[in-house]
Amino acid sequence: MDKQGYELRCMRCLGGRVTVPWGQEEIQCPHCGQGWRITWVTPTVAKIRGKVLGKEAEVGKDSLHRPV
C-alpha cells in the first residue's frame, strides 16, 4: 500500500497506475486525460465509480439520439 494514496489503473487507456490521494473523490489520468469519479469502499481501498462527463458528453448535442 502506498502511503500517499491508493493506486488504480485507468479504465480508458490502461496506461499505467494512477495514485488517488486518500479521500479524494475525482482524479484525472495523466496518460489520457480522462476524469474519473472515485468512491472509497473502505478508508484504504478506492474504486472507480464512473467517468467525469465534460461538455462533449451533453445529451443530444452531437448525437444521433436527438430529442424529438
Side-chain angles (χ1 to χ4, degrees):
M1 177 173 26
D2 185 12
K3 291 184 180 184
Q4 295 182 0
Y6 187 78
E7 289 188 349
L8 295 172
R9 188 175 302 273
C10 175
M11 294 173 63
R12 180 175 179 214
C13 71
L14 302 175
R17 301 234 175 234
V18 179
T19 301
V20 182
W22 303 116
Q24 188 168 322
E25 295 183 0
E26 286 188 5
I27 59 166
Q28 186 171 3
C29 177
H31 307 287
C32 69
Q34 175 65 54
W36 297 103
R37 293 180 294 128
I38 304 298
T39 188
W40 290 88
V41 181
T42 70
T44 59
V45 177
K47 177 180 164 184
I48 291 178
R49 186 171 41 165
K51 289 183 180 181
V52 172
L53 301 177
K55 292 181 181 177
E56 70 281 353
E58 290 179 10
V59 176
K61 186 157 186 161
D62 291 325
S63 172
L64 296 174
H65 304 288
R66 296 181 187 266
V68 180

